[in-house]
């Protein structure tokens, strides 16, 4: 595809690869999508239930906060129940990191601004080595070290980068190299500038995020601008979209970012119009219903839903299945870019769901492939 359309090419920054449990991060591994539970970790059942929901929508790695000794007391039950690697989120109390490492954490997230002395970090490194844990250095503009704030006067890209480099050196001094780094800020400009600078300074995997981004809509927009611009520039090996919303939503938004950039595919990619008075059916409600009814589809494929024939046929030619609004309640259905048949209003939803499910099953069985109009053009 890139030889035909070079403007689609994203050249990823070359980083070395580490393992978070059984998931590779960095190098040529797929960019992973993370989220974080918001249940009390002490409530093991509720936490596992939430982890299951996040796994169902595709989370590759899930972070769990460990603020108390009670939170780590049954942490092994959580790590054993999870089907994806669990990252233990550690702030202030370094002993929680030691406990979580002993109880199956695949990675320890520590913040250099509040973890404590170099001696405490050394203990965390020893625990990580002994248990095969990775470490994520989590620099955050809201909790920078006091000496850096005094030096720079405020959180700035240089301060975030210096904090990260200082902590990297500390890990390297203890001969520990299985680490990834984040330099997060709620200010998009600050975070993006810091990540660009850090990407040039180190070869380790980078964990992207715009921290405290906001609610579902505002946070999605803000994160998409920040994380999306970095991914487009080839920077980033794992992402977490920080939303004041349920963690499943973070995962969905993360995958939509990657899908939009062609960096990963999962489930049905929906192309749909905003609708107008030309629409032959209620596009908004139709798309809402289809997205909900097709959430169980994990197979990468595409579906276009457009209300009229202005752009409908053109978009349908680019997707596995296309639905274009027609007159008198009769609409056009396209299969693999070709007009195939008509469908009546009352049968439309069930019919499209069945077509998607059948195509997904055929792809999974090896009897079909997802439609790629660009490959056709290349031939």
């Amino acid at each position: 595809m890139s030889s035909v359309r070079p403007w689609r090419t994203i050249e990823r920054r070359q980083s070395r690869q580490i393992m978070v449990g059984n998931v590779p991060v960095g190098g040529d591994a797929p960019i992973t999508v993370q989220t974080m539970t918001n249940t009390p970790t002490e409530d093991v059942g509720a936490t596992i239930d939430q982890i299951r929901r996040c796994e169902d929508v595709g989370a590759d790695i899930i972070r769990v906060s460990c603020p108390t000794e009670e939170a780590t007391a049954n942490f092994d039950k959580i790590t054993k129940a999870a089907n994806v690697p669990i990252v233990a989120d550690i702030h202030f109390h370094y002993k929680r990191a030691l406990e979580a490492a002993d109880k199956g954490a695949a990675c320890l997230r520590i913040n250099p601004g509040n973890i404590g002395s170099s001696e405490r970090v050394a203990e965390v490194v020893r625990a990580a080595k002994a248990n095969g844990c990775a470490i994520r250095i989590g620099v955050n503009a809201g909790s920078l070290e006091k000496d850096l704030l005094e030096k720079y006067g405020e959180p700035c890209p240089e301060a975030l980068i210096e904090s990260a480099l200082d902590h990297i050196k500390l890990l390297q001094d203890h001969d520990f190299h299985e680490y990834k780094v984040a330099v997060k800020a709620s200010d998009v400009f600050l975070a993006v500038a810091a990540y660009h600078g850090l990407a040039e300074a180190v070869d380790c995997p980078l964990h992207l995020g715009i921290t405290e981004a906001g609610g579902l809509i505002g946070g999605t927009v803000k994160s998409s601008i920040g994380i999306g611009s970095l991914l487009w520039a080839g920077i980033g090996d794992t992402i977490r979209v920080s939303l004041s919303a349920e963690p499943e939503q973070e995962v969905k938004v993360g995958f939509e970012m990657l899908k939009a950039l062609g960096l990963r595919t999962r489930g049905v990619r929906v192309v749909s119009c905003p609708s107008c008075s030309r629409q032959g059916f209620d596009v908004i409600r139709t798309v809402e219903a289809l997205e909900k009814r097709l959430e169980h589809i994990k197979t990468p494929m595409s579906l276009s839903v457009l209300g009229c024939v202005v752009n409908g046929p053109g978009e349908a030619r680019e997707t596995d299945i296309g639905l274009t609004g027609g007159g008198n309640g009769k609409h056009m259905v396209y299969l693999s870019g070709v007009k195939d048949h008509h469908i009546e209003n009352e049968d439309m939803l069930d019919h499209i769901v069945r077509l998607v499910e059948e195509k997904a099953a055929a792809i999974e069985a090896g009897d079909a492939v997802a439609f790629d109009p660009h490959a056709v053009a290349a031939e």
Side-chain angles (χ1 to χ4, degrees):
M1 185 194 301
S2 60
S3 61
V4 178
R5 294 172 173 80
W7 35 269
R8 291 177 178 271
T9 302
I10 293 177
E11 293 194 11
R12 284 180 64 188
R13 160 186 171 268
Q14 292 299 303
S15 71
R16 56 188 177 80
Q17 189 173 98
I18 68 169
M19 296 299 295
V20 177
N22 60 356
V23 173
V25 175
D28 59 357
I31 296 169
T32 53
V33 178
Q34 303 193 26
T35 187
M36 185 173 180
T37 57
N38 57 30
T39 53
T41 307
E42 296 85 352
D43 189 338
V44 173
T47 302
I48 292 173
D49 286 345
Q50 193 169 73
I51 286 172
R52 286 282 178 271
R53 294 195 294 276
C54 295
E55 291 172 342
D56 287 343
V57 295
D60 299 298
I61 298 169
I62 297 174
R63 183 154 42 116
V64 176
S65 183
C66 295
T68 65
E69 191 171 355
E70 290 74 24
T72 54
N74 294 302
F75 197 68
D76 52 334
K77 293 180 181 177
I78 294 170
T79 57
K80 288 174 182 176
N83 297 309
V84 299
I86 298 297
V87 177
D89 191 68
I90 309 298
H91 289 278
F92 304 110
H93 303 291
Y94 77 101
K95 287 187 178 179
R96 304 293 83 80
L98 313 184
E99 294 157 4
D102 286 340
K103 297 199 172 187
C107 180
L108 304 172
R109 189 273 192 178
I110 57 176
N111 185 323
N114 62 35
I115 195 65
S117 65
S118 59
E119 290 78 15
R120 290 182 174 181
V121 174
E123 285 199 53
V124 172
V125 169
R126 282 193 289 272
K129 281 185 174 181
N131 292 279
C133 295
I135 288 179
R136 199 256 282 187
I137 299 170
V139 178
N140 193 302
S143 55
L144 276 170
E145 297 95 314
K146 290 181 180 179
D147 62 317
L148 291 176
L149 286 174
E150 291 173 0
K151 177 179 179 179
Y152 291 99
E154 64 176 1
C156 61
E158 294 78 11
L160 292 172
I161 294 167
E162 185 171 331
S163 176
L165 294 177
D166 286 347
H167 211 67
I168 286 172
K169 185 178 185 303
L170 191 54
L171 296 188
Q172 290 176 334
D173 287 346
H174 290 97
D175 195 29
F176 190 88
H177 306 282
E178 292 295 300
Y179 59 83
K180 52 194 172 101
V181 185
V183 280
K184 294 186 179 183
S186 60
D187 182 299
V188 174
F189 298 95
L190 173 55
V192 170
Y195 275 112
H196 273 282
L198 187 63
E200 294 179 1
V202 299
D203 69 346
C204 64
L206 297 183
H207 170 117
L208 303 187
I210 304 298
T211 193
E212 289 96 38
L216 182 58
I217 294 177
T220 293
V221 172
K222 198 171 176 181
S223 297
S224 297
I225 293 170
I227 297 174
S229 68
L230 290 165
L231 292 172
W232 200 338
I235 296 170
D237 304 285
T238 184
I239 66 174
R240 190 258 171 122
V241 181
S242 299
L243 302 176
S244 300
E246 292 306 316
E248 303 98 301
Q249 298 297 332
E250 295 186 348
V251 179
K252 292 177 184 178
V253 172
F255 267 104
E256 289 299 324
M257 283 187 200
L258 297 176
K259 284 158 68 175
L261 291 168
L263 292 168
R264 274 189 78 176
T265 55
R266 183 186 191 276
V268 182
R269 177 176 62 87
V270 178
V271 177
S272 61
C273 67
S275 81
C276 69
S277 63
R278 289 190 304 267
Q279 64 184 351
F281 57 87
D282 188 337
V283 173
I284 294 174
R285 249 55 64 183
T286 299
V287 170
E288 286 176 350
L290 286 171
E291 285 183 333
K292 187 170 184 178
R293 291 183 61 178
L294 296 174
E295 279 188 341
H296 65 290
I297 302 292
K298 298 177 174 60
T299 309
M301 57 185 298
S302 53
L303 167 67
S304 58
V305 182
L306 284 95
C308 77
V309 296
V310 174
N311 293 319
E315 294 293 352
R317 285 193 289 268
E318 300 276 316
T319 54
D320 286 282
I321 296 164
L323 173 65
T324 296
N328 300 317
K330 184 178 284 189
H331 315 298
M332 292 161 283
V333 176
Y334 293 72
L335 301 179
S336 298
V338 178
K339 185 177 177 181
D340 191 82
H341 58 276
H342 289 85
I343 186 69
E344 302 282 347
N345 254 352
E346 56 269 21
D347 303 319
M348 186 173 62
L349 277 176
D350 290 341
H351 184 70
I352 295 299
V353 169
R354 180 174 59 80
L355 289 176
V356 171
E357 290 176 337
E358 288 175 353
K359 181 68 179 278
I363 293 172
E364 292 301 319
D367 298 327
V369 295
F371 181 57
D372 183 355
H374 308 299
V376 173
E379 293 172 3

